[in-house]
Amino acid sequence: MISVLKFDACELNATSENKKLHNYNLPNNAAVGIDPWCISVDTAQRWERAFTKKRQKLVQTSTNLVDEVWKNRPPAETNPVIIQPVEFAGRSVADKLEDLRERLMQEKAQGIIITALDEVAWLYNVRGTDVSYCPVVHAFAIVTSKSAFFYVDKKKVSSEVSCCCCYCFFLGISPSLIC
C-alpha cells in the first residue's frame, strides 16, 4: 500500500523537525519517498535520523512524481537572455569575478557554485523573463580561481549574447558560457 503525504519542507526547522516528522503517524518500517533534486543532502540526513527512530527509511525516487501525474504540463518557455549594460549594472563582469576570486582566496575555497537566479544575473550582468515580475533567467554558475562557467539553455542565447561571452573570453574571463 502506498500513502502519499504532503508536508512543507520549509516548516521543518532544526528545533521542531523530529517532532513534526513523527506527527505524520507513519507505521514502523515505512518507506518515505523523496526527490533528491528537491532537498539538500543535509536535510535528507536529518530526516533519515528522525525516521530511523521508528525503523522508517528514506527512499530516493528515480523519477519526479509531479512529472508522472502532470500529463498535460505546458512546455517550459524559451525566453532570451538579455545583456544588462554596464551603465545600468554598475560594474563589469570582469570586476565582479575578480572580487569574487579574491574572496574565494580569503576563504581558502577552490570555487563556488551559484544557483540563486538573482545572484547569477548580477554576477554575469544578464537579465531575463523566466520568472514573472523578476528579471532573471534560469541558469547557474560555477566560478573557480581560473575559470567561470555560466550554464543556460543554448536556445535562450542570441548571437549578441554569444558575442559578448566571446569578448569576455578574449579578455581572459574564461566563461564557458553556453553549456
Side-chain angles (χ1 to χ4, degrees):
M1 182 178 100
I2 297 175
S3 297
V4 176
L5 299 173
K6 178 188 176 290
F7 59 90
D8 184 358
C10 296
E11 76 182 16
L12 301 174
N13 60 42
T15 58
S16 65
E17 184 169 285
N18 291 347
K19 184 177 179 182
K20 287 188 180 191
L21 287 174
H22 287 291
N23 284 343
Y24 285 103
N25 203 19
L26 296 172
N28 288 346
N29 299 319
V32 178
I34 59 165
D35 184 342
W37 292 100
C38 295
I39 63 170
S40 69
V41 171
D42 181 60
T43 299
Q45 289 171 343
R46 285 195 322 268
W47 289 0
E48 195 166 49
R49 285 191 299 272
F51 286 123
T52 300
K53 293 177 182 176
K54 292 177 82 177
R55 295 185 313 277
Q56 299 160 340
K57 63 181 178 178
L58 293 182
V59 178
Q60 293 184 12
T61 58
S62 59
T63 60
N64 182 323
L65 297 178
V66 173
D67 291 342
E68 294 293 317
V69 297
W70 194 356
K71 298 298 182 192
N72 60 347
R73 185 177 189 172
E77 292 183 30
T78 307
N79 300 317
V81 173
I82 303 162
I83 299 294
Q84 178 79 338
V86 175
E87 59 264 22
F88 299 118
R91 297 178 61 204
S92 70
V93 175
D95 288 344
K96 293 175 186 180
L97 286 171
E98 183 179 328
D99 287 350
L100 179 56
R101 288 182 173 130
E102 285 176 19
R103 184 64 191 264
L104 287 171
M105 285 187 349
Q106 290 171 359
E107 299 292 329
K108 297 182 172 92
Q110 294 181 3
I112 184 170
I113 299 170
I114 304 168
T115 59
L117 302 182
D118 58 330
E119 293 176 9
V120 174
W122 175 84
L123 180 62
Y124 283 99
N125 290 345
V126 295
R127 300 297 183 265
T129 58
D130 288 352
V131 178
S132 297
Y133 309 105
C134 188
V136 296
V137 62
H138 286 134
F140 68 95
I142 300 174
V143 178
T144 69
S145 61
K146 293 188 169 82
S147 41
F149 301 91
F150 174 60
Y151 294 88
V152 67
D153 185 342
K154 287 180 183 180
K155 292 180 239 163
K156 297 180 178 196
V157 180
S158 67
S159 58
E160 175 196 3
V161 173
S162 286
C163 287
C164 181
C165 296
C166 290
Y167 177 69
C168 289
F169 181 75
F170 177 73
L171 292 177
I173 297 170
S174 182
S176 299
L177 176 71
I178 306 143
C179 301

